[in-house]
Structure formats: C-alpha cells, structure tokens
C-alpha cells in the first residue's frame, strides 16, 4: 500500500491559489531530491551508476537542474530536449540521446554537446556518419523480439518499433569496431510502468548475458549497460511500490553471477527513468466549476485532458482527493471530467469521493511525470502553469500558464493579423 498524501494543507493551498489560479501542476522538490538519492543509494554497490532522467517525463529546466544537482543526467529524444538539457547545465556524457526515427539536426546537436548517442537502428550508423560524423562512444538499443513479455503500454517487443534485433546487434557493433570506435554501451527498454522488481531482474539478466556474448564474440567490453526506464509507480493506493533497494540487491546478484566471471567488472549500470523519479511528486490542482446530474453524476473541473492525458488516453487511474475533505467518507460516485468535446476527457469514472461542492479544490495525484508534458492545445485549451514547492515551503513559478497570445503566436495570415490589430 502506498500512502497518498498531498504535501500542503487546504489553507496553504488556498493561499497559493490566490496568487496562482488553477489549474496548475505543483512539484515537491524535497520529495524529488530524497527519491533521487534513494535510487543512487540502492545502486551504490555498482561500479558506477547513472540515471539519465527521461526529459520527456517533465521537461522543465528547473526540475532538470534539481535532478542534476542530485547527480542525474538527461535522456533526450528531440532537439528541444537536448537544448533544454544544455540550458539546465547537463552536457557531455551526462546526456544520452535515445531517440528513434532521428533527424539529422538532432544527431548534430548531440555530437556538438558530446552526448552519448544511442542508435535505434543499424541503418542509423551510415546516416549518423554522413550527417554528423561518428562520436567517440556508441550505444545501440536492443530489441529482444519475442522473448520477453512486455506490458500494455510498450506491448510485445517484437511489435515495438524500437531497437535492433539480436542479429543486427552483433553486426552493428562489428561495423562500429571496424570504423575504429573503441568505447561502447548497450541499451534496452522493454518494460513500462512495471511494479514488479522481478521484471528488472529479468531485463538485467538478458542484458548482462548479451554483454558477455558481445565480449566473447567481438572482444568489446561495454562501458555501460542502460536498462532503460519503466520503473512503475503506485498510481492506486493499493498498488505495491517498487522497492528500489530490493531491485538494486537483485541486480547486484545477477551482476556478480554473470558479469564478474566474464571479467566485466567495470561496466556501469544506467537507468533512464522518468516516471519513478518525479511521477509521485507532482500534483494537478484544479477547481470544481460544475456539477451535472444526468444519467450519471458529473463533476466538471477547470482542468482537462489537455493538462493530463493519461486517464483519457490509457484509461489510467489517477488518485483524486478533495482538499480539506481528506478524512470525509466517500459517499458519492462521480465521473470527474474536463471540458474537451471528447467523451474520454475524464479524470475518473465512477469514482467514490466525498460530497463535492462547486469551488472545491480537487487534487489529482501522480502527475509529476508524463503529466504536463503530454499536454496539448486541442479545443483551444491552454496548458497550465507549473509550480515548485521548494524545500523551505515557498512556491516558485517554474512555468507560467499559456495565454491566448501564446495560442495565436504560431498563426500567420488572417489570424495573425487579427491578433496584431
Ligand atoms: C519514455 C522513455 C523512458 C522513461 O520511461 P519512464 O516510464 O518514465 O521511466 C526512458 N527511455 C526511453 C527510451 C523512453 O522512451
């Protein structure tokens, strides 16, 4: 069981809302830092441990800066993400470019930053060489095919567009070796939002075994093995939390069993987790605008799927609490909705909650990763602000809310000229 507790009481929240109108996402700096330290500690046995925070999870430079202070690097998959990392002070091999269908400018920027390039396909070797030149260190993303069970979000590896096949992996490192590359890494990402520590053991075993084979067949020793992201979080109060310490211990045993006898005692372990790092420490705060009673009882918020896509997109559960009513009985069953003209724009369906009144503040949990960042402007909805609850309890605006002017800023011609009048 995970405890779902919002770090602010209702009075403090009201004061914040006076200054920063809802909806907004708010992130808990202290909890994020503590969590980052916990992950590093769980892998302190490893000869080197790296976490490349998946920038797409929460692409805010202030958050990246905090994570960098705790030792994290950045996992990027677009040019803006590379630039965001650079501006946040994360450069060189603290960046891993794990993209796919990669455009030339992304490779060029990654090379310019000295980032580690993780190639998604064997054909990208020639593309990279032609468009950006070869880097000093190269990594490939492995797709094991129909060996490992994936899960709902990533699906079956053999159906996933990512990575090289087993055969291609051997060929790719051979090509790179012939081209004179001397430093190598290996990467995979086969699971997503996984709550079982065993899944990570299975991934580690698969990757360590592959690294040993690559050493035996090609004579190359991996500098690092990146096990990807995919560490899950307990979205539901009754979900188990991944025990990072147990996960670290399990992987240690596998490392000792497979890597050490093969003489691979320097290979560093990396993750590129996003969700597990910031996910539980972000909250979407919203105000109840309407209650509607038809065939069902609907609570309409001032936030919509544009602020948090996961429930509408995946039917994902996000825990909901009404500020100041944390201890009240869940006496009603509501659908909690946004205002998009899409019936999937619901934060919760048939959710048991305390009696809700217009004006109540609703807190939607676990929006610290893949929350604000998945936002979009469908239906002319504007993306919300992001706030940081700092360690000293003060609030910092780390992204202002979008305005109508922002919405019109990219429009040319007729609409553009209207806005200039
Ligand atoms: C999305 C993604 C991640 C982060 O996944 P989480 O579920 O947030 O840990 C890491 N690596 C790659 C390649 C990704 O696409």
């Amino acid at each position: 069981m995970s405890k779902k507790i919002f770090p602010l009481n209702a009075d403090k929240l009201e004061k914040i809302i006076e200054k920063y109108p809802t909806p907004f996402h708010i992130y808990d700096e202290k909890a994020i830092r503590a969590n980052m330290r916990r992950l590093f500690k769980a892998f302190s046995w490893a000869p080197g441990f790296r976490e490349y925070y998946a920038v797409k999870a929460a692409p805010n430079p202030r958050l990246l800066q905090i994570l960098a202070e705790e030792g994290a690097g950045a996992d990027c998959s677009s040019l803006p993400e590379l630039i965001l990392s650079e501006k946040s002070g994360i450069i060189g091999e603290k960046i891993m470019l794990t993209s796919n269908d990669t455009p030339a400018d992304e490779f060029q920027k990654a090379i310019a930053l000295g980032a580690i390039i993780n190639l998604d396909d064997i054909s990208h070797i020639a593309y990279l060489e032609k468009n950006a030149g070869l880097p000093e260190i190269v990594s490939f993303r492995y797709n094991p095919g129909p060996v490992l069970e994936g899960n709902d979000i990533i699906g079956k590896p053999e159906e996933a567009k990512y990575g090289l096949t087993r055969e291609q992996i051997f060929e790719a490192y051979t090509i790179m070796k012939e081209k004179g590359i001397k430093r190598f890494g290996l990467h995979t990402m086969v699971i997503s939002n996984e709550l079982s520590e065993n899944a990570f053991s299975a991934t580690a075993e698969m990757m360590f075994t592959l690294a040993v084979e690559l050493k035996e067949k090609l004579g190359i020793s991996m500098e690092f093995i990146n096990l990807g992201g995919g560490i899950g979080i307990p979205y539901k109060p009754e979900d188990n939390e991944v025990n990072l310490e147990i996960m670290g211990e399990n992987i240690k045993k596998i490392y000792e069993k497979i890597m050490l006898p093969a003489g691979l005692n320097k290979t560093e372990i990396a993750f590129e987790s996003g969700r597990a790092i910031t996910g539980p420490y972000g909250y979407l705060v919203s105000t109840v605008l309407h209650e509607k009673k038809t065939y069902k009882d609907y609570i309409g918020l001032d936030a919509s799927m544009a602020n948090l896509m996961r429930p509408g997109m995946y039917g994902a559960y996000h825990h909901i609490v009404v500020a100041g009513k944390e201890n009240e009985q869940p006496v009603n069953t509501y659908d909690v909705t946004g205002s998009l003209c899409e019936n999937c724009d619901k934060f919760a369906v048939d959710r048991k909650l305390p009696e809700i009144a217009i004006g109540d503040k609703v807190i939607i949990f676990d929006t610290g990763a893949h929350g604000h960042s998945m936002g979009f402007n469908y239906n002319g909805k504007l993306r919300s602000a992001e706030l940081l609850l700092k360690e000293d309890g003060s609030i910092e605006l780390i992204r202002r809310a979008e305005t109508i002017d922002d919405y019109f800023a990219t429009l040319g011609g007729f609409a553009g000229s209207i806005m200039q009048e």
Side-chain angles (χ1 to χ4, degrees), residues 52-54 56-57 75 77 98-100 118 141 154 162 187-189 191-193 226 228-232 271-277 369-370:
Y52 298 96
Y53 178 72
K56 73 166 191 263
D75 160 37
S77 34
T98 296
S99 62
N100 64 92
N118 184 32
R141 178 172 186 163
I154 291 230
Y162 310 112
H187 170 278
T188 199
M189 164 113 183
I191 38 192
S192 181
N193 195 23
N226 186 333
I231 304 174
F271 276 98
E272 49 188 29
S273 267
R275 191 188 316 271
I277 306 302
H370 314 295

